[in-house]
Amino acid sequence: MGVALTRSAQWTAAGRGTRNLETTPLNEAILKEIITFVESFLYKHPQEANYAFAEPLEWKTELEPAAFGSGYAVSETTVTSEEADKNGQPLLFLSVPQIKIRSFGQLSRLLFFAKNTKLKEAQACIEANRNPIAKILGLDYNIINEINEDSALLTILDKITRDNDPESETKVKIALLLKQLDLHLLNHSLKHISLEIRLNPGTVKNDIELLKRFSGKGEQTVLESIDYTSDYEFSNGCRAPPWRQIQGEICYVLVKPHDAEILCVTCSKEGVFLNGGKTDDEGEINYERKGEIYKDLVTLLKEKSAVFSENMSKQEVRFSEEQQKEKEQLNEVPKEEEAATLRKASDVSHRSMLEKNQINRGKNLMTKRLEPSLNWKTTVDAKVKHLLRDNLEEKHGGRLEKPRPSVLPGRPQLIRKSIEKAEEVISESSSESEEDEEPPDHRQEANADLPSEYWQIQKLVKYLKGGNQTATVIALCSMKDFNLAQETCQLAIRDVGGLEVLINLLETDDVKCKIGSLKILKEISHNPQIRRNIVDLGGLPIMVNILDSPHKSLKCLAAETIANVAKFRRARQAVRRHGGITKLVALLDCGQNSTEPAYSSLYETRDVEVARCGALALWSCSKSYANKEAIRKAGGIPLLARLLKTSHENMLIPVVGTLQECASEENYRAAIKAERIIEDLVKNLNSGNEQLQEHCAMAIYQCAEDEETRDLVRLHGGLQPLASLLNNTDNKERLAAVTGAIWKCSISKENVIKFREYKAIETLVGLLTDQPEEVLVNVVGALGECCQEHENRVVVRKCGGIQPLVNLLVGINQALLVNVTKAVGACAVEPESMMIIDRLDGVRLLWSLLKNPHPDVKASAAWALCPCIQNAKNNDKLRRHLAEAISRCCMWGRNRVAFGEYKAVAPLVRYLKSSDTNVHRATAQALYQLSENADNCITMHENGAVKLLLDMVGSPDEALQEAAAGCISNIRRLALATEKARYS
């Protein structure tokens, strides 16, 4: 904590007074992380929370004695805690306004009492206690501030292994926790800083020079003037004095806006801000910051001057172009130098690589037999047969279960393609020899240049194997300090048998060992190889048993680890077969069984965390049909419905994610409706969390196959937020889910009316280009439903939607083709749209889709051709193609009956009046196919087809003769049968 506060926190400049923390976003983020650590310390580390500090932390507080509750002796001006150290000294003493605290437990409770002022209290405490570790642990442990090497941790570990003093053990545990906090704060600060825009002298100079060009006395200028305070420029491009450059400051400028006094501005690497200005007597600058930091000079001036903002908006395009030119010029020279350097380096590295490869090849032959081999040969042979499938599931998102009949058509196509591709690969690789083949397993090469962390972790694993209980706990804490997200660290644990040790520790009676082991397993189980190894070593049944533990921390860690491991089929099966689904569902009800005493809010937080972790594990497991059924039978749906009422977003995401996965089954959709879950899904569409919005929209998409559900979405006000979310197109996963929900909701006409009111149809038309296929499938599906109404067809045409729809007819995605043919067919009902479709050669494209191998595409193209027939003008080429298409379609299923039902026969008869023989031939062939149906024969007779066909029987075209004669024969046969039936 000391290192982070020294290096990362931003302090005011040293002066006569004490240095204080500046009010900056970074400092606020650091304080919030410290508050979170202290608040959770009481229940995460109850034994260490009672440890009495070497010296009290003392500061001036704003808390009044009345804020304290039970457990304290309270008077008008003093508060004394009932808890005391071994010498009888109270662990908390307040004498307004001075407060002294001697334990983490009391610090945690103080923050609980502080409520809205906890940030101020934390800041006051840190400012008054600049070296908190020395006060907490004593001067002997102040070395923790300077620990940068993991070897120092091993030295402390050796010390504790030899020393049996319980006080010393507690101190080291707290020291390690504080070091973990220190590392966390440093990493958090780096992430925070990396998100900020860092300025450099070149960028600042360009901005100032550009602003000078746009400044002057005219009304259209952005500023009256802008000048540096110093004319001298150092070699690094800075104009600030050297002692200010150390603070990251670049230069100072005097800016005179049209509508404000002169502003004295500091430009630094962190950003731009107003300083104290020039002093009247000596003309020196008061460097103290006055106000907030802005990302650049233009942003600051827009905030401080309305005239600048207005005139800048008029010059924005020109200014941006000039700015871009300057950047390109700046980058041009370094790029040329870099290219030359790279060419030289490439030649050298190529030669050295050849030499190195020859040396390594010889080393490999010598050292291959010495490489560690942990291929898990002791596992049951049957497990090996699953490895190929596991590997493929890892690649394809763990969705290799065979799709159930109840899975909805039109599910986002990226997932469907992954399933089809993965199943195809499995079916191709199902031979016996390939099943027995080991999947590629990443092992560290014996001669590889491994980082020091690899060897340090291996030393810690030795302590795990041979140390006593205390050494084991400390070794686990030390191992957790490493970056376990790094693959080298993960494989270091595995390569020396660390996984077996960690899994064995889960079967001990020591809670701390279990917690330490699970924390490490949770982190490293993100690696696909590691999670397969965990399953092979029988780790899942042990974790499932831990779900029954009375310790909530253990339940949480076990559930989170199961969530990481259950990413492939065999792991999900193992969870179910060992009763894990029932136990995970029980965790969802954890909040109702809390028996913890005082400080209820802290324990309620733990209950929420238990339920969240349970939902997270169920989310991973719910990708299997058998697990979905197990969740339903265990009573999971009512519990998930109850958790949807919470305001905790981190809880809602896995809950909605589980419901979204399960909603693909009919039983679940009925239960979701019965539990009134739709109302909560709609409510959470208005959340600010994009991931939560995505899963809610996806769940609505799954459920909206049912008419009653579509009505519920409308009645609960869900259509407007769905329409609003269409405007945010950066997050493609969320956009796919939202457009899918709109598509399914559009099946109901009442919903389409609402979408028209919300201008959703115009937005959907705008999404027909430059979008991934999984979005396009849903967008076109929604437009196909909306265009069943005349008003919406007009909107699509006026918005220019016909051309992008026709362009999509040349794609290869089957689901997209099914939807786009339906949409084009719906638009073709309107004559004006039909003219555009004809001009764009859309009818020929529809006709060509009749040759598509997929039956759904053929059928949809055939339906789309029906309105084209009715609205086709005097275009003989178009008529010929339409007639040929109908002739082909009549050979499938009951299409000839359907053409009659959709009034396609009568317009087709009129095609016989054309002067083009090609149209006659195609039309006669189509009528011949249609005449196989009795109702169609009646329609042909009523529309005068017989007389026209009789003239064509004598045509020199044999195909036309044959088709005309065949059609007349069918009509005559029907007439004879009718007459016979009348007189019989």
Side-chain angles (χ1 to χ4, degrees):
M1 187 164 68
V3 177
L5 292 176
T6 304
R7 296 183 183 177
S8 299
Q10 297 167 331
W11 299 85
T12 56
R16 293 182 181 177
T18 57
R19 295 179 68 190
N20 297 322
L21 286 170
E22 292 185 346
T23 306
T24 64
L26 176 59
N27 281 350
E28 186 175 337
I30 291 173
L31 287 172
K32 285 180 178 177
E33 292 299 314
I34 293 173
I35 288 169
T36 302
F37 171 80
V38 174
E39 282 182 325
S40 63
F41 201 96
L42 179 61
Y43 60 83
K44 281 187 175 179
H45 313 286
Q47 183 179 340
E48 289 76 16
N50 294 325
Y51 164 76
F53 297 163
E55 294 180 37
L57 298 177
E58 186 175 353
W59 72 93
K60 288 184 179 180
T61 180
E62 294 184 3
L63 282 180
E64 296 295 329
F68 291 81
S70 60
Y72 299 89
V74 181
S75 69
E76 290 186 3
T77 58
T78 63
V79 175
T80 305
S81 67
E82 293 178 359
E83 289 186 0
D85 62 12
K86 59 185 178 183
N87 298 320
Q89 294 292 323
L91 295 180
L92 181 146
F93 178 73
L94 168 64
S95 177
V96 178
Q98 208 72 13
I99 190 169
K100 297 180 180 179
I101 292 183
R102 297 178 63 118
S103 77
F104 276 109
Q106 291 297 330
L107 280 174
S108 183
R109 291 176 182 120
L110 176 85
L111 291 175
F112 174 70
F113 294 134
K115 294 184 171 46
N116 297 331
T117 62
K118 60 178 69 173
L119 204 64
K120 289 184 179 178
E121 292 297 323
Q123 182 173 345
C125 176
I126 289 168
E127 288 174 347
N129 302 276
R130 295 293 301 276
N131 192 357
I133 292 176
K135 288 192 172 185
I136 292 170
L137 299 171
L139 292 175
D140 292 342
Y141 285 83
N142 195 37
I143 190 174
I144 290 293
N145 276 345
E146 301 167 7
I147 290 179
N148 292 317
E149 298 294 332
D150 293 302
S151 58
L153 283 177
L154 294 173
T155 304
I156 291 177
L157 184 60
D158 286 330
K159 176 179 179 294
I160 295 304
T161 304
R162 294 190 301 268
D163 189 358
N164 293 321
D165 180 17
E167 183 80 4
S168 177
E169 180 184 331
T170 303
K171 281 186 178 182
V172 172
K173 287 179 183 177
I174 293 175
L176 289 171
L177 289 171
L178 291 175
K179 183 176 183 298
Q180 288 175 8
L181 173 64
D182 213 13
L183 292 172
H184 174 72
L185 292 176
L186 288 170
N187 289 331
H188 190 77
S189 301
L190 287 172
K191 288 178 184 176
H192 192 279
I193 291 167
S194 66
L195 295 174
E196 297 178 354
I197 295 175
R198 307 281 288 179
L199 298 178
N200 58 60
T203 305
V204 172
K205 184 176 181 180
N206 288 339
D207 285 353
I208 293 171
E209 294 302 322
L210 279 173
L211 287 171
K212 281 184 178 180
R213 294 182 206 170
F214 289 85
S215 300
K217 294 294 183 183
E219 292 182 1
Q220 299 302 316
T221 57
V222 296
L223 297 167
E224 284 189 16
S225 64
I226 177 170
D227 295 295
Y228 292 106
T229 58
S230 170
D231 293 330
Y232 183 77
E233 182 178 326
F234 290 89
S235 59
N236 61 0
C238 294
R239 294 173 186 258
W243 62 90
R244 299 304 300 178
Q245 290 183 32
I246 295 172
Q247 306 293 327
E249 294 178 3
I250 298 170
C251 66
Y252 313 98
V253 288
L254 296 173
V255 183
K256 179 63 178 76
H258 288 291
D259 55 346
E261 295 298 321
I262 293 176
L263 305 174
C264 192
V265 180
T266 298
C267 299
S268 72
K269 292 179 180 178
E270 285 73 27
V272 177
F273 55 85
L274 293 179
N275 56 44
K278 284 195 171 185
T279 57
D280 294 333
D281 48 356
E282 298 178 1
E284 292 186 356
I285 293 174
N286 177 3
Y287 299 113
E288 195 72 28
R289 179 163 63 86
K290 306 292 183 183
E292 60 181 296
I293 300 175
Y294 296 85
K295 68 174 184 176
D296 55 32
L297 195 54
V298 172
T299 307
L300 181 145
L301 293 172
K302 281 183 176 180
E303 184 70 24
K304 301 298 180 184
S305 168
V307 174
F308 177 87
S309 180
E310 181 182 348
N311 290 350
M312 193 65 188
S313 63
K314 298 174 184 176
Q315 305 276 1
E316 196 82 58
V317 175
R318 188 179 157 204
F319 186 85
S320 299
E321 289 175 354
E322 294 284 340
Q323 206 171 31
Q324 189 61 33
K325 285 179 185 176
E326 295 287 347
K327 285 182 181 177
E328 288 173 358
Q329 288 174 4
L330 274 173
N331 293 335
E332 199 170 319
V333 175
K335 281 184 179 177
E336 289 175 0
E337 293 175 357
E338 185 180 348
T341 305
L342 284 173
R343 280 195 296 272
K344 290 178 183 177
S346 176
D347 294 338
V348 175
S349 66
H350 180 67
R351 288 195 299 271
S352 63
M353 185 62 70
L354 288 174
E355 294 170 4
K356 188 174 180 181
N357 284 344
Q358 290 175 353
I359 295 169
N360 284 346
R361 196 174 295 116
K363 283 185 178 180
N364 284 339
L365 291 172
M366 295 170 63
T367 62
K368 189 167 185 181
R369 61 186 164 200
L370 302 177
E371 291 181 9
S373 176
L374 292 175
N375 288 328
W376 320 113
K377 295 297 186 184
T378 57
T379 55
V380 182
D381 290 341
K383 290 179 180 176
V384 180
K385 295 181 181 179
H386 291 286
L387 288 175
L388 178 60
R389 187 178 185 96
D390 297 343
N391 237 12
L392 292 165
E393 288 192 0
E394 293 289 347
K395 282 185 179 179
H396 298 92
R399 293 177 180 260
L400 293 186
E401 281 85 0
K402 290 184 180 179
R404 306 290 300 179
S406 59
V407 173
L408 302 177
R411 189 174 174 83
Q413 294 307 303
L414 202 58
I415 297 171
R416 177 180 288 177
K417 286 196 315 193
S418 298
I419 294 172
E420 290 172 353
K421 186 176 178 182
E423 289 184 333
E424 182 182 340
V425 173
I426 289 173
S427 64
E428 288 175 359
S429 60
S430 60
S431 66
E432 193 172 320
S433 60
E434 288 180 75
E435 281 185 0
D436 295 336
E437 186 180 339
E438 283 285 335
D441 198 1
H442 185 190
R443 297 277 165 186
Q444 300 293 343
E445 295 181 9
N447 63 328
D449 295 330
L450 296 171
S452 61
E453 290 90 344
Y454 185 86
W455 309 113
Q456 295 286 352
I457 286 175
Q458 293 203 345
K459 288 180 185 177
L460 289 172
V461 171
K462 292 177 183 177
Y463 277 103
L464 287 179
K465 289 179 177 179
N468 59 25
Q469 184 176 331
T470 303
T472 299
V473 171
I474 302 300
L476 288 169
C477 293
S478 302
M479 193 179 291
K480 183 69 175 64
D481 285 344
F482 287 92
N483 181 11
L484 296 179
Q486 188 178 350
E487 189 179 27
T488 303
C489 296
Q490 295 167 352
L491 298 181
I493 294 172
R494 186 193 66 174
D495 289 350
V496 290
L499 279 180
E500 296 99 319
V501 180
L502 291 171
I503 290 172
N504 286 339
L505 286 174
L506 298 182
E507 296 187 282
T508 63
D509 295 328
D510 188 86
V511 174
K512 291 178 182 176
C513 287
K514 287 183 178 180
I515 289 175
S517 177
L518 281 171
K519 282 184 176 179
I520 294 167
L521 287 170
K522 184 188 80 169
E523 295 298 327
I524 65 176
S525 58
H526 289 286
N527 185 311
Q529 296 175 30
I530 297 288
R531 48 183 175 240
R532 283 198 300 275
N533 298 149
I534 290 172
V535 174
D536 291 336
L537 289 168
L540 278 177
I542 301 171
M543 293 178 200
V544 167
N545 290 336
I546 291 175
L547 297 176
D548 291 326
S549 169
H551 298 278
K552 294 179 180 178
S553 299
L554 277 177
K555 289 181 178 180
C556 289
L557 289 168
E560 281 190 283
T561 310
I562 290 171
N564 291 340
V565 175
K567 300 290 186 184
F568 61 101
R569 182 176 184 176
R570 185 156 52 90
R572 291 192 288 269
Q573 287 177 344
V575 174
R576 183 179 70 253
R577 287 171 181 170
H578 291 90
I581 300 297
T582 304
K583 293 178 181 180
L584 288 170
V585 169
L587 295 186
L588 303 181
D589 200 22
C590 184
Q592 303 300 312
N593 302 320
S594 178
T595 57
E596 303 284 1
Y599 313 110
S600 59
S601 67
L602 296 176
Y603 294 104
E604 285 171 9
T605 303
R606 295 175 66 188
D607 291 333
V608 169
E609 183 65 10
V610 169
R612 183 192 73 83
C613 295
L616 203 61
L618 287 173
W619 188 8
S620 292
C621 293
S622 64
K623 292 174 176 62
S624 155
Y625 171 74
N627 286 354
K628 291 174 187 176
E629 280 299 296
I631 294 170
R632 185 179 64 81
K633 290 176 181 177
I637 301 177
L639 293 173
L640 290 168
R642 188 167 66 193
L643 291 175
L644 269 180
K645 307 291 183 186
T646 183
S647 58
H648 300 278
E649 285 187 352
N650 59 344
M651 164 75 82
L652 288 169
I653 289 171
V655 168
V656 178
T658 306
L659 288 169
Q660 167 215 315
E661 288 290 344
C662 295
S664 60
E665 306 299 327
E666 181 62 37
N667 290 336
Y668 268 92
R669 293 200 290 274
I672 286 171
K673 191 167 54 179
E675 292 289 340
R676 305 180 67 179
I677 288 174
I678 298 298
E679 181 178 355
D680 296 305
L681 293 175
V682 167
K683 180 183 73 174
N684 288 311
L685 282 174
N686 295 306
S687 162
N689 188 301
E690 291 189 3
Q691 192 180 3
L692 180 57
Q693 290 173 337
E694 175 192 338
H695 293 305
C696 287
M698 192 63 198
I700 290 172
Y701 164 81
Q702 297 276 25
C703 297
E705 286 288 314
D706 176 70
E707 183 179 0
E708 188 179 345
T709 301
R710 295 195 292 271
D711 293 340
L712 287 171
V713 174
R714 182 181 70 257
L715 293 172
H716 291 303
L719 301 182
Q720 187 164 11
L722 285 173
S724 300
L725 289 172
L726 285 176
N727 297 310
N728 303 319
T729 59
D730 294 335
N731 186 333
K732 300 303 180 186
E733 290 79 8
R734 183 183 63 177
L735 186 61
V738 169
T739 50
I742 290 175
W743 171 20
K744 295 304 177 184
C745 289
S746 299
I747 297 172
S748 295
K749 291 184 179 180
E750 296 84 354
N751 292 347
V752 171
I753 294 170
K754 286 291 183 182
F755 282 133
R756 187 165 65 242
E757 290 178 13
Y758 302 141
K759 306 293 183 184
I761 298 171
E762 292 89 334
T763 310
L764 287 169
V765 170
L767 295 174
L768 286 172
T769 53
D770 301 325
Q771 296 298 334
E773 284 187 343
E774 58 267 28
V775 174
L776 287 173
V777 168
N778 298 332
V779 169
V780 176
L783 288 174
E785 297 295 340
C786 292
C787 286
Q788 302 302 317
E789 304 290 329
H790 170 72
E791 296 87 344
N792 299 334
R793 291 194 290 268
V794 174
V795 171
V796 170
R797 174 171 54 80
K798 289 184 176 179
C799 291
I802 304 298
Q803 181 161 355
L805 282 173
V806 172
N807 291 344
L808 292 174
L809 289 171
V810 298
I812 57 173
N813 184 305
Q814 293 172 351
L816 180 57
L817 288 174
V818 169
N819 285 355
V820 77
T821 47
K822 181 177 179 180
V824 171
C827 292
V829 172
E830 188 196 30
E832 291 87 348
S833 297
M834 182 60 216
M835 291 174 62
I836 301 172
I837 293 169
D838 186 17
R839 188 174 69 248
L840 295 170
D841 209 16
V843 178
R844 183 189 63 79
L845 293 172
L846 284 172
W847 176 75
S848 67
L849 289 176
L850 297 174
K851 302 173 185 177
N852 191 287
H854 198 281
D856 291 342
V857 176
K858 290 178 182 176
S860 188
W863 291 120
L865 287 167
C866 291
C868 295
I869 297 166
Q870 295 172 356
N871 292 301
K873 299 299 180 184
N874 296 322
N875 184 330
D876 284 333
K877 182 180 177 182
L878 171 61
R879 288 174 171 176
R880 188 187 77 190
H881 286 314
L882 287 171
E884 287 175 353
I886 292 171
S887 178
R888 286 174 178 268
C889 291
C890 285
M891 299 175 187
W892 309 320
R894 61 182 301 276
N895 283 350
R896 56 171 58 91
V897 177
F899 278 125
E901 292 172 352
Y902 278 80
K903 315 287 187 208
V905 178
L908 193 62
V909 171
R910 292 195 288 273
Y911 285 17
L912 295 174
K913 297 179 181 179
S914 168
S915 58
D916 190 332
T917 305
N918 292 323
V919 175
H920 292 166
R921 185 193 315 111
T923 304
Q925 289 171 337
L927 291 173
Y928 169 67
Q929 292 292 338
L930 290 167
S931 66
E932 297 288 336
N933 175 261
D935 292 332
N936 291 342
C937 287
I938 295 170
T939 305
M940 292 176 200
H941 189 271
E942 290 174 348
N943 285 274
V946 175
K947 183 179 179 182
L948 295 169
L949 288 168
L950 283 171
D951 294 337
M952 295 175 186
V953 171
S955 170
D957 189 316
E958 291 184 4
L960 175 56
Q961 283 182 6
E962 185 178 349
C967 185
I968 293 171
S969 173
N970 286 339
I971 295 172
R972 179 59 183 160
R973 195 176 292 115
L974 173 65
L976 290 172
T978 305
E979 190 173 343
K980 183 178 179 181
R982 185 184 303 172
Y983 293 105
S984 60

